[in-house]
Amino acid sequence: MMDWFLAHRYTVGIVIGVVLGIAARLNMLRTDYRQYPTYPHGKIIHISLGVIAAGLGAVAVPALLEKNYTAVTFLTLAAQQFRDVRNMERQSLSKVDEQELVPRGATYIEGIAMVFEGRNYLVILTAFLASLFSIVFPWYWGIAAGAASILVSNHFKSGSNLAEVADIEPVPIRLEGPDVYVGPVYIMNVGLEDSRQKIMQHGQGFLLKPKNRNARVTLSHVGQRQAIMHDISTLFGAYRDEGEPSLRQMAKLDMDSGTVGLLLLLQEKDEAKTLTALHRIPVLESAVRMPSEAGVNARKGS
């Protein structure tokens, strides 16, 4: 049996690499409450791309070991293909976003597109390592290397959430004439009495207090605030329709303290559930700012 594995080590390495690469893509592919990628057609597209990525990563190892360096240049074509996938995701999500009652926003869409491109590269890496270890060492080391790569991929599958950058607390909504406030934060002016009554009846107010100077800049990002409103509206349903400009989710910044006042109008009014969901909202990579790391802001003597 071992003689057969040695005689067909390239074939064994490629098969193990492809299988574990596909397993890595399936592990990172999940349709959650946002229903993206859509089921089943969206999943079929991304699984197919995962198979291609796994094949590219697995085949690259025999090409390198045989010193066929020209053949490895097809990886550059793969990189271009996956960049096209990113553009495809961006364009399709932007079109869909035009019909959302509470849009994702350009920042959120760019983050989703970037994630799908990056995960294909993780698949290539997993397949490459599994194939390499299967060929250079006994085949079971390839399985171990692929499994370890999948575990590492899990680390990159999800980033930080809102609870890590902000203290979140529910606060009452109050009216001062036509002006709507969430705690101390002014939200907007609502002229119609009927709209004010609906806001008081269906609205929920929350304050997002940044934990540090980095979080303060991150929460001030308009794209991050839009992502918060979109995700919560997706979870609990938005209490609004077209032609109702005063009935909308709002996230306004208190420029003095950096606190964000969040006004939510949801079909399901459950403060405890909403508070739990807010803690789990993802922080967008492109919204993260680190002003404390800048040399001009560094502490003296540090």
Side-chain angles (χ1 to χ4, degrees), residues 162 166-172 181-187 204-210 219 228 252-254 257-264 275 278-279:
L162 202 58
D167 294 316
I168 307 170
E169 63 179 63
V171 292
Y181 288 82
V182 169
V185 181
Y186 171 78
I187 300 298
Q204 299 178 65
F206 295 89
L207 291 181
L208 313 181
K209 299 180 179 180
L219 288 176
I228 294 170
K252 295 296 288 290
L253 180 69
D254 184 337
S257 65
T259 299
V260 173
L262 190 61
L263 172 65
L264 299 174
L275 183 61
L278 281 170
H279 281 86

PDB file of all heavy atoms in Angstrom, residues 162 166-172 181-187 204-210 219 228 252-254 257-264 275 278-279:
ATOM      1  N   LEU A 162     -19.504  44.806  17.713  1.00  0.00           N
ATOM      2  CA  LEU A 162     -19.753  46.127  18.288  1.00  0.00           C
ATOM      3  C   LEU A 162     -19.490  46.167  19.792  1.00  0.00           C
ATOM      4  O   LEU A 162     -19.086  47.201  20.326  1.00  0.00           O
ATOM      5  CB  LEU A 162     -21.201  46.538  17.989  1.00  0.00           C
ATOM      6  CG  LEU A 162     -21.531  48.032  18.030  1.00  0.00           C
ATOM      7  CD1 LEU A 162     -20.667  48.803  17.049  1.00  0.00           C
ATOM      8  CD2 LEU A 162     -23.007  48.244  17.719  1.00  0.00           C
ATOM      9  N   ALA A 166     -17.735  49.421  21.866  1.00  0.00           N
ATOM     10  CA  ALA A 166     -18.689  50.371  22.443  1.00  0.00           C
ATOM     11  C   ALA A 166     -19.459  49.751  23.600  1.00  0.00           C
ATOM     12  O   ALA A 166     -19.729  48.543  23.608  1.00  0.00           O
ATOM     13  CB  ALA A 166     -19.665  50.856  21.374  1.00  0.00           C
ATOM     14  N   ASP A 167     -19.798  50.587  24.562  1.00  0.00           N
ATOM     15  CA  ASP A 167     -20.754  50.214  25.606  1.00  0.00           C
ATOM     16  C   ASP A 167     -22.143  50.603  25.105  1.00  0.00           C
ATOM     17  O   ASP A 167     -22.369  51.756  24.713  1.00  0.00           O
ATOM     18  CB  ASP A 167     -20.440  50.941  26.910  1.00  0.00           C
ATOM     19  CG  ASP A 167     -19.105  50.512  27.503  1.00  0.00           C
ATOM     20  OD1 ASP A 167     -18.836  49.298  27.517  1.00  0.00           O
ATOM     21  OD2 ASP A 167     -18.331  51.392  27.935  1.00  0.00           O
ATOM     22  N   ILE A 168     -23.058  49.648  25.128  1.00  0.00           N
ATOM     23  CA  ILE A 168     -24.384  49.855  24.551  1.00  0.00           C
ATOM     24  C   ILE A 168     -25.421  49.829  25.665  1.00  0.00           C
ATOM     25  O   ILE A 168     -25.444  48.902  26.480  1.00  0.00           O
ATOM     26  CB  ILE A 168     -24.703  48.764  23.504  1.00  0.00           C
ATOM     27  CG1 ILE A 168     -23.573  48.675  22.471  1.00  0.00           C
ATOM     28  CG2 ILE A 168     -26.034  49.046  22.827  1.00  0.00           C
ATOM     29  CD1 ILE A 168     -23.685  47.487  21.543  1.00  0.00           C
ATOM     30  N   GLU A 169     -26.265  50.837  25.700  1.00  0.00           N
ATOM     31  CA  GLU A 169     -27.303  50.877  26.724  1.00  0.00           C
ATOM     32  C   GLU A 169     -28.604  51.420  26.138  1.00  0.00           C
ATOM     33  O   GLU A 169     -28.596  52.337  25.310  1.00  0.00           O
ATOM     34  CB  GLU A 169     -26.871  51.740  27.906  1.00  0.00           C
ATOM     35  CG  GLU A 169     -26.628  53.206  27.580  1.00  0.00           C
ATOM     36  CD  GLU A 169     -26.218  54.008  28.806  1.00  0.00           C
ATOM     37  OE1 GLU A 169     -25.148  53.701  29.368  1.00  0.00           O
ATOM     38  OE2 GLU A 169     -26.977  54.924  29.193  1.00  0.00           O
ATOM     39  N   PRO A 170     -29.733  50.838  26.540  1.00  0.00           N
ATOM     40  CA  PRO A 170     -31.030  51.361  26.084  1.00  0.00           C
ATOM     41  C   PRO A 170     -31.382  52.644  26.823  1.00  0.00           C
ATOM     42  O   PRO A 170     -31.102  52.790  28.014  1.00  0.00           O
ATOM     43  CB  PRO A 170     -32.001  50.229  26.433  1.00  0.00           C
ATOM     44  CG  PRO A 170     -31.344  49.506  27.562  1.00  0.00           C
ATOM     45  CD  PRO A 170     -29.860  49.631  27.364  1.00  0.00           C
ATOM     46  N   VAL A 171     -31.968  53.569  26.106  1.00  0.00           N
ATOM     47  CA  VAL A 171     -32.387  54.842  26.705  1.00  0.00           C
ATOM     48  C   VAL A 171     -33.761  55.198  26.141  1.00  0.00           C
ATOM     49  O   VAL A 171     -34.133  54.754  25.050  1.00  0.00           O
ATOM     50  CB  VAL A 171     -31.383  55.979  26.393  1.00  0.00           C
ATOM     51  CG1 VAL A 171     -30.058  55.737  27.097  1.00  0.00           C
ATOM     52  CG2 VAL A 171     -31.180  56.133  24.897  1.00  0.00           C
ATOM     53  N   PRO A 172     -34.523  55.999  26.868  1.00  0.00           N
ATOM     54  CA  PRO A 172     -35.856  56.379  26.372  1.00  0.00           C
ATOM     55  C   PRO A 172     -35.779  57.388  25.230  1.00  0.00           C
ATOM     56  O   PRO A 172     -34.835  58.174  25.129  1.00  0.00           O
ATOM     57  CB  PRO A 172     -36.525  56.986  27.608  1.00  0.00           C
ATOM     58  CG  PRO A 172     -35.388  57.462  28.457  1.00  0.00           C
ATOM     59  CD  PRO A 172     -34.262  56.499  28.229  1.00  0.00           C
ATOM     60  N   TYR A 181     -35.409  63.098  20.434  1.00  0.00           N
ATOM     61  CA  TYR A 181     -34.129  62.860  21.090  1.00  0.00           C
ATOM     62  C   TYR A 181     -34.046  61.405  21.537  1.00  0.00           C
ATOM     63  O   TYR A 181     -35.047  60.807  21.953  1.00  0.00           O
ATOM     64  CB  TYR A 181     -33.964  63.754  22.322  1.00  0.00           C
ATOM     65  CG  TYR A 181     -33.725  65.210  22.022  1.00  0.00           C
ATOM     66  CD1 TYR A 181     -34.790  66.066  21.726  1.00  0.00           C
ATOM     67  CD2 TYR A 181     -32.439  65.744  22.048  1.00  0.00           C
ATOM     68  CE1 TYR A 181     -34.577  67.410  21.458  1.00  0.00           C
ATOM     69  CE2 TYR A 181     -32.213  67.093  21.783  1.00  0.00           C
ATOM     70  CZ  TYR A 181     -33.284  67.913  21.489  1.00  0.00           C
ATOM     71  OH  TYR A 181     -33.064  69.243  21.229  1.00  0.00           O
ATOM     72  N   VAL A 182     -32.845  60.851  21.444  1.00  0.00           N
ATOM     73  CA  VAL A 182     -32.540  59.563  22.064  1.00  0.00           C
ATOM     74  C   VAL A 182     -31.572  59.858  23.197  1.00  0.00           C
ATOM     75  O   VAL A 182     -30.400  60.169  22.961  1.00  0.00           O
ATOM     76  CB  VAL A 182     -31.920  58.579  21.058  1.00  0.00           C
ATOM     77  CG1 VAL A 182     -31.377  57.353  21.781  1.00  0.00           C
ATOM     78  CG2 VAL A 182     -32.953  58.153  20.025  1.00  0.00           C
ATOM     79  N   GLY A 183     -32.082  59.804  24.428  1.00  0.00           N
ATOM     80  CA  GLY A 183     -31.264  60.264  25.541  1.00  0.00           C
ATOM     81  C   GLY A 183     -30.931  61.733  25.334  1.00  0.00           C
ATOM     82  O   GLY A 183     -31.807  62.555  25.044  1.00  0.00           O
ATOM     83  N   PRO A 184     -29.650  62.091  25.414  1.00  0.00           N
ATOM     84  CA  PRO A 184     -29.275  63.494  25.206  1.00  0.00           C
ATOM     85  C   PRO A 184     -28.988  63.846  23.748  1.00  0.00           C
ATOM     86  O   PRO A 184     -28.694  64.996  23.438  1.00  0.00           O
ATOM     87  CB  PRO A 184     -27.993  63.612  26.043  1.00  0.00           C
ATOM     88  CG  PRO A 184     -27.373  62.258  25.950  1.00  0.00           C
ATOM     89  CD  PRO A 184     -28.516  61.277  25.894  1.00  0.00           C
ATOM     90  N   VAL A 185     -29.063  62.865  22.855  1.00  0.00           N
ATOM     91  CA  VAL A 185     -28.636  63.066  21.465  1.00  0.00           C
ATOM     92  C   VAL A 185     -29.828  63.475  20.607  1.00  0.00           C
ATOM     93  O   VAL A 185     -30.841  62.763  20.544  1.00  0.00           O
ATOM     94  CB  VAL A 185     -27.982  61.791  20.895  1.00  0.00           C
ATOM     95  CG1 VAL A 185     -27.515  62.026  19.456  1.00  0.00           C
ATOM     96  CG2 VAL A 185     -26.811  61.353  21.769  1.00  0.00           C
ATOM     97  N   TYR A 186     -29.695  64.622  19.946  1.00  0.00           N
ATOM     98  CA  TYR A 186     -30.737  65.075  19.020  1.00  0.00           C
ATOM     99  C   TYR A 186     -30.716  64.200  17.770  1.00  0.00           C
ATOM    100  O   TYR A 186     -29.662  63.947  17.187  1.00  0.00           O
ATOM    101  CB  TYR A 186     -30.502  66.537  18.638  1.00  0.00           C
ATOM    102  CG  TYR A 186     -31.397  67.021  17.513  1.00  0.00           C
ATOM    103  CD1 TYR A 186     -32.728  67.347  17.755  1.00  0.00           C
ATOM    104  CD2 TYR A 186     -30.910  67.138  16.213  1.00  0.00           C
ATOM    105  CE1 TYR A 186     -33.558  67.782  16.731  1.00  0.00           C
ATOM    106  CE2 TYR A 186     -31.726  67.573  15.187  1.00  0.00           C
ATOM    107  CZ  TYR A 186     -33.052  67.891  15.444  1.00  0.00           C
ATOM    108  OH  TYR A 186     -33.869  68.316  14.418  1.00  0.00           O
ATOM    109  N   ILE A 187     -31.909  63.752  17.353  1.00  0.00           N
ATOM    110  CA  ILE A 187     -32.005  62.864  16.195  1.00  0.00           C
ATOM    111  C   ILE A 187     -32.526  63.607  14.973  1.00  0.00           C
ATOM    112  O   ILE A 187     -31.849  63.700  13.951  1.00  0.00           O
ATOM    113  CB  ILE A 187     -32.912  61.651  16.504  1.00  0.00           C
ATOM    114  CG1 ILE A 187     -32.337  60.849  17.680  1.00  0.00           C
ATOM    115  CG2 ILE A 187     -33.034  60.757  15.272  1.00  0.00           C
ATOM    116  CD1 ILE A 187     -30.977  60.249  17.435  1.00  0.00           C
ATOM    117  N   GLN A 204     -37.296  52.441  19.444  1.00  0.00           N
ATOM    118  CA  GLN A 204     -36.401  52.037  20.529  1.00  0.00           C
ATOM    119  C   GLN A 204     -35.150  52.903  20.443  1.00  0.00           C
ATOM    120  O   GLN A 204     -34.656  53.183  19.345  1.00  0.00           O
ATOM    121  CB  GLN A 204     -36.007  50.566  20.407  1.00  0.00           C
ATOM    122  CG  GLN A 204     -37.164  49.589  20.482  1.00  0.00           C
ATOM    123  CD  GLN A 204     -36.693  48.155  20.312  1.00  0.00           C
ATOM    124  OE1 GLN A 204     -35.956  47.632  21.127  1.00  0.00           O
ATOM    125  NE2 GLN A 204     -37.120  47.522  19.230  1.00  0.00           N
ATOM    126  N   GLY A 205     -34.650  53.316  21.586  1.00  0.00           N
ATOM    127  CA  GLY A 205     -33.469  54.165  21.615  1.00  0.00           C
ATOM    128  C   GLY A 205     -32.304  53.490  22.311  1.00  0.00           C
ATOM    129  O   GLY A 205     -32.479  52.812  23.333  1.00  0.00           O
ATOM    130  N   PHE A 206     -31.111  53.672  21.745  1.00  0.00           N
ATOM    131  CA  PHE A 206     -29.895  53.104  22.333  1.00  0.00           C
ATOM    132  C   PHE A 206     -28.766  54.125  22.198  1.00  0.00           C
ATOM    133  O   PHE A 206     -28.714  54.890  21.228  1.00  0.00           O
ATOM    134  CB  PHE A 206     -29.492  51.803  21.632  1.00  0.00           C
ATOM    135  CG  PHE A 206     -30.480  50.687  21.794  1.00  0.00           C
ATOM    136  CD1 PHE A 206     -31.530  50.539  20.896  1.00  0.00           C
ATOM    137  CD2 PHE A 206     -30.375  49.793  22.852  1.00  0.00           C
ATOM    138  CE1 PHE A 206     -32.455  49.522  21.040  1.00  0.00           C
ATOM    139  CE2 PHE A 206     -31.296  48.773  23.005  1.00  0.00           C
ATOM    140  CZ  PHE A 206     -32.337  48.634  22.100  1.00  0.00           C
ATOM    141  N   LEU A 207     -27.865  54.090  23.162  1.00  0.00           N
ATOM    142  CA  LEU A 207     -26.653  54.895  23.092  1.00  0.00           C
ATOM    143  C   LEU A 207     -25.457  53.972  22.924  1.00  0.00           C
ATOM    144  O   LEU A 207     -25.321  52.978  23.651  1.00  0.00           O
ATOM    145  CB  LEU A 207     -26.474  55.736  24.361  1.00  0.00           C
ATOM    146  CG  LEU A 207     -27.459  56.884  24.583  1.00  0.00           C
ATOM    147  CD1 LEU A 207     -27.107  57.622  25.869  1.00  0.00           C
ATOM    148  CD2 LEU A 207     -27.467  57.848  23.399  1.00  0.00           C
ATOM    149  N   LEU A 208     -24.608  54.289  21.955  1.00  0.00           N
ATOM    150  CA  LEU A 208     -23.366  53.553  21.730  1.00  0.00           C
ATOM    151  C   LEU A 208     -22.221  54.450  22.186  1.00  0.00           C
ATOM    152  O   LEU A 208     -21.905  55.445  21.531  1.00  0.00           O
ATOM    153  CB  LEU A 208     -23.207  53.192  20.248  1.00  0.00           C
ATOM    154  CG  LEU A 208     -24.425  52.574  19.540  1.00  0.00           C
ATOM    155  CD1 LEU A 208     -24.088  52.262  18.092  1.00  0.00           C
ATOM    156  CD2 LEU A 208     -24.893  51.329  20.263  1.00  0.00           C
ATOM    157  N   LYS A 209     -21.615  54.093  23.310  1.00  0.00           N
ATOM    158  CA  LYS A 209     -20.552  54.914  23.883  1.00  0.00           C
ATOM    159  C   LYS A 209     -19.197  54.285  23.577  1.00  0.00           C
ATOM    160  O   LYS A 209     -18.919  53.159  24.019  1.00  0.00           O
ATOM    161  CB  LYS A 209     -20.742  55.040  25.396  1.00  0.00           C
ATOM    162  CG  LYS A 209     -22.056  55.714  25.783  1.00  0.00           C
ATOM    163  CD  LYS A 209     -22.204  55.821  27.289  1.00  0.00           C
ATOM    164  CE  LYS A 209     -23.504  56.526  27.666  1.00  0.00           C
ATOM    165  NZ  LYS A 209     -23.678  56.638  29.135  1.00  0.00           N
ATOM    166  N   PRO A 210     -18.354  54.965  22.811  1.00  0.00           N
ATOM    167  CA  PRO A 210     -17.056  54.377  22.441  1.00  0.00           C
ATOM    168  C   PRO A 210     -16.182  54.121  23.663  1.00  0.00           C
ATOM    169  O   PRO A 210     -16.164  54.907  24.611  1.00  0.00           O
ATOM    170  CB  PRO A 210     -16.444  55.440  21.519  1.00  0.00           C
ATOM    171  CG  PRO A 210     -17.148  56.709  21.862  1.00  0.00           C
ATOM    172  CD  PRO A 210     -18.529  56.327  22.288  1.00  0.00           C
ATOM    173  N   LEU A 219     -16.833  54.540  15.293  1.00  0.00           N
ATOM    174  CA  LEU A 219     -18.284  54.722  15.378  1.00  0.00           C
ATOM    175  C   LEU A 219     -18.758  55.957  14.616  1.00  0.00           C
ATOM    176  O   LEU A 219     -19.920  56.031  14.212  1.00  0.00           O
ATOM    177  CB  LEU A 219     -18.716  54.828  16.839  1.00  0.00           C
ATOM    178  CG  LEU A 219     -18.669  53.536  17.657  1.00  0.00           C
ATOM    179  CD1 LEU A 219     -19.035  53.818  19.106  1.00  0.00           C
ATOM    180  CD2 LEU A 219     -19.603  52.486  17.076  1.00  0.00           C
ATOM    181  N   ILE A 228     -24.992  49.034  11.012  1.00  0.00           N
ATOM    182  CA  ILE A 228     -25.720  48.698  12.242  1.00  0.00           C
ATOM    183  C   ILE A 228     -27.223  48.739  11.991  1.00  0.00           C
ATOM    184  O   ILE A 228     -27.961  47.803  12.334  1.00  0.00           O
ATOM    185  CB  ILE A 228     -25.336  49.675  13.372  1.00  0.00           C
ATOM    186  CG1 ILE A 228     -23.870  49.499  13.766  1.00  0.00           C
ATOM    187  CG2 ILE A 228     -26.242  49.468  14.590  1.00  0.00           C
ATOM    188  CD1 ILE A 228     -23.356  50.579  14.698  1.00  0.00           C
ATOM    189  N   LYS A 252     -27.317  59.105  14.953  1.00  0.00           N
ATOM    190  CA  LYS A 252     -26.724  60.446  14.969  1.00  0.00           C
ATOM    191  C   LYS A 252     -25.586  60.507  15.982  1.00  0.00           C
ATOM    192  O   LYS A 252     -25.652  59.913  17.056  1.00  0.00           O
ATOM    193  CB  LYS A 252     -27.786  61.496  15.313  1.00  0.00           C
ATOM    194  CG  LYS A 252     -28.878  61.621  14.264  1.00  0.00           C
ATOM    195  CD  LYS A 252     -28.340  62.121  12.927  1.00  0.00           C
ATOM    196  CE  LYS A 252     -27.954  63.582  12.977  1.00  0.00           C
ATOM    197  NZ  LYS A 252     -29.100  64.491  13.099  1.00  0.00           N
ATOM    198  N   LEU A 253     -24.576  61.267  15.616  1.00  0.00           N
ATOM    199  CA  LEU A 253     -23.364  61.373  16.421  1.00  0.00           C
ATOM    200  C   LEU A 253     -23.402  62.619  17.296  1.00  0.00           C
ATOM    201  O   LEU A 253     -23.680  63.719  16.813  1.00  0.00           O
ATOM    202  CB  LEU A 253     -22.146  61.423  15.495  1.00  0.00           C
ATOM    203  CG  LEU A 253     -20.773  61.536  16.151  1.00  0.00           C
ATOM    204  CD1 LEU A 253     -20.431  60.257  16.894  1.00  0.00           C
ATOM    205  CD2 LEU A 253     -19.716  61.847  15.099  1.00  0.00           C
ATOM    206  N   ASP A 254     -23.141  62.428  18.586  1.00  0.00           N
ATOM    207  CA  ASP A 254     -22.905  63.562  19.476  1.00  0.00           C
ATOM    208  C   ASP A 254     -21.440  63.951  19.301  1.00  0.00           C
ATOM    209  O   ASP A 254     -20.535  63.253  19.765  1.00  0.00           O
ATOM    210  CB  ASP A 254     -23.189  63.157  20.926  1.00  0.00           C
ATOM    211  CG  ASP A 254     -23.042  64.327  21.891  1.00  0.00           C
ATOM    212  OD1 ASP A 254     -22.322  65.294  21.558  1.00  0.00           O
ATOM    213  OD2 ASP A 254     -23.636  64.278  22.981  1.00  0.00           O
ATOM    214  N   SER A 257     -19.074  64.221  22.607  1.00  0.00           N
ATOM    215  CA  SER A 257     -18.670  63.031  23.368  1.00  0.00           C
ATOM    216  C   SER A 257     -18.300  61.844  22.487  1.00  0.00           C
ATOM    217  O   SER A 257     -17.671  60.895  22.956  1.00  0.00           O
ATOM    218  CB  SER A 257     -19.803  62.614  24.312  1.00  0.00           C
ATOM    219  OG  SER A 257     -20.944  62.201  23.565  1.00  0.00           O
ATOM    220  N   GLY A 258     -18.708  61.867  21.215  1.00  0.00           N
ATOM    221  CA  GLY A 258     -18.474  60.720  20.339  1.00  0.00           C
ATOM    222  C   GLY A 258     -19.515  59.632  20.487  1.00  0.00           C
ATOM    223  O   GLY A 258     -19.439  58.597  19.821  1.00  0.00           O
ATOM    224  N   THR A 259     -20.513  59.848  21.347  1.00  0.00           N
ATOM    225  CA  THR A 259     -21.583  58.872  21.538  1.00  0.00           C
ATOM    226  C   THR A 259     -22.536  58.892  20.347  1.00  0.00           C
ATOM    227  O   THR A 259     -22.847  59.958  19.806  1.00  0.00           O
ATOM    228  CB  THR A 259     -22.367  59.176  22.827  1.00  0.00           C
ATOM    229  OG1 THR A 259     -21.478  59.088  23.942  1.00  0.00           O
ATOM    230  CG2 THR A 259     -23.514  58.200  23.019  1.00  0.00           C
ATOM    231  N   VAL A 260     -22.984  57.718  19.945  1.00  0.00           N
ATOM    232  CA  VAL A 260     -23.943  57.603  18.849  1.00  0.00           C
ATOM    233  C   VAL A 260     -25.322  57.319  19.433  1.00  0.00           C
ATOM    234  O   VAL A 260     -25.501  56.370  20.212  1.00  0.00           O
ATOM    235  CB  VAL A 260     -23.546  56.484  17.869  1.00  0.00           C
ATOM    236  CG1 VAL A 260     -24.642  56.264  16.827  1.00  0.00           C
ATOM    237  CG2 VAL A 260     -22.230  56.824  17.180  1.00  0.00           C
ATOM    238  N   GLY A 261     -26.287  58.161  19.089  1.00  0.00           N
ATOM    239  CA  GLY A 261     -27.676  57.926  19.462  1.00  0.00           C
ATOM    240  C   GLY A 261     -28.368  57.155  18.358  1.00  0.00           C
ATOM    241  O   GLY A 261     -28.365  57.575  17.197  1.00  0.00           O
ATOM    242  N   LEU A 262     -28.940  56.015  18.705  1.00  0.00           N
ATOM    243  CA  LEU A 262     -29.522  55.107  17.711  1.00  0.00           C
ATOM    244  C   LEU A 262     -31.034  55.043  17.896  1.00  0.00           C
ATOM    245  O   LEU A 262     -31.524  54.628  18.953  1.00  0.00           O
ATOM    246  CB  LEU A 262     -28.900  53.721  17.872  1.00  0.00           C
ATOM    247  CG  LEU A 262     -29.170  52.668  16.800  1.00  0.00           C
ATOM    248  CD1 LEU A 262     -28.646  53.121  15.444  1.00  0.00           C
ATOM    249  CD2 LEU A 262     -28.517  51.344  17.191  1.00  0.00           C
ATOM    250  N   LEU A 263     -31.762  55.481  16.885  1.00  0.00           N
ATOM    251  CA  LEU A 263     -33.218  55.386  16.874  1.00  0.00           C
ATOM    252  C   LEU A 263     -33.616  54.263  15.932  1.00  0.00           C
ATOM    253  O   LEU A 263     -33.317  54.314  14.735  1.00  0.00           O
ATOM    254  CB  LEU A 263     -33.846  56.703  16.416  1.00  0.00           C
ATOM    255  CG  LEU A 263     -35.361  56.673  16.168  1.00  0.00           C
ATOM    256  CD1 LEU A 263     -36.120  56.398  17.461  1.00  0.00           C
ATOM    257  CD2 LEU A 263     -35.838  57.979  15.537  1.00  0.00           C
ATOM    258  N   LEU A 264     -34.288  53.252  16.465  1.00  0.00           N
ATOM    259  CA  LEU A 264     -34.691  52.095  15.677  1.00  0.00           C
ATOM    260  C   LEU A 264     -36.207  51.988  15.656  1.00  0.00           C
ATOM    261  O   LEU A 264     -36.857  52.064  16.708  1.00  0.00           O
ATOM    262  CB  LEU A 264     -34.095  50.807  16.260  1.00  0.00           C
ATOM    263  CG  LEU A 264     -32.564  50.731  16.314  1.00  0.00           C
ATOM    264  CD1 LEU A 264     -32.125  49.474  17.045  1.00  0.00           C
ATOM    265  CD2 LEU A 264     -31.976  50.772  14.914  1.00  0.00           C
ATOM    266  N   LEU A 275     -30.971  44.554  22.097  1.00  0.00           N
ATOM    267  CA  LEU A 275     -29.711  44.855  22.778  1.00  0.00           C
ATOM    268  C   LEU A 275     -28.695  43.736  22.557  1.00  0.00           C
ATOM    269  O   LEU A 275     -27.513  43.994  22.285  1.00  0.00           O
ATOM    270  CB  LEU A 275     -29.962  45.056  24.270  1.00  0.00           C
ATOM    271  CG  LEU A 275     -28.750  45.455  25.122  1.00  0.00           C
ATOM    272  CD1 LEU A 275     -28.179  46.784  24.655  1.00  0.00           C
ATOM    273  CD2 LEU A 275     -29.138  45.525  26.599  1.00  0.00           C
ATOM    274  N   LEU A 278     -27.418  43.962  18.986  1.00  0.00           N
ATOM    275  CA  LEU A 278     -26.493  45.083  18.788  1.00  0.00           C
ATOM    276  C   LEU A 278     -25.076  44.718  19.223  1.00  0.00           C
ATOM    277  O   LEU A 278     -24.100  45.117  18.585  1.00  0.00           O
ATOM    278  CB  LEU A 278     -26.974  46.307  19.567  1.00  0.00           C
ATOM    279  CG  LEU A 278     -28.106  47.120  18.928  1.00  0.00           C
ATOM    280  CD1 LEU A 278     -28.639  48.151  19.912  1.00  0.00           C
ATOM    281  CD2 LEU A 278     -27.626  47.800  17.649  1.00  0.00           C
ATOM    282  N   HIS A 279     -24.955  43.965  20.290  1.00  0.00           N
ATOM    283  CA  HIS A 279     -23.628  43.556  20.751  1.00  0.00           C
ATOM    284  C   HIS A 279     -22.918  42.678  19.720  1.00  0.00           C
ATOM    285  O   HIS A 279     -21.684  42.614  19.701  1.00  0.00           O
ATOM    286  CB  HIS A 279     -23.738  42.802  22.081  1.00  0.00           C
ATOM    287  CG  HIS A 279     -23.924  43.699  23.266  1.00  0.00           C
ATOM    288  ND1 HIS A 279     -25.163  44.139  23.673  1.00  0.00           N
ATOM    289  CD2 HIS A 279     -23.032  44.259  24.124  1.00  0.00           C
ATOM    290  CE1 HIS A 279     -25.031  44.914  24.740  1.00  0.00           C
ATOM    291  NE2 HIS A 279     -23.746  45.008  25.039  1.00  0.00           N
TER     292      HIS A 279
END
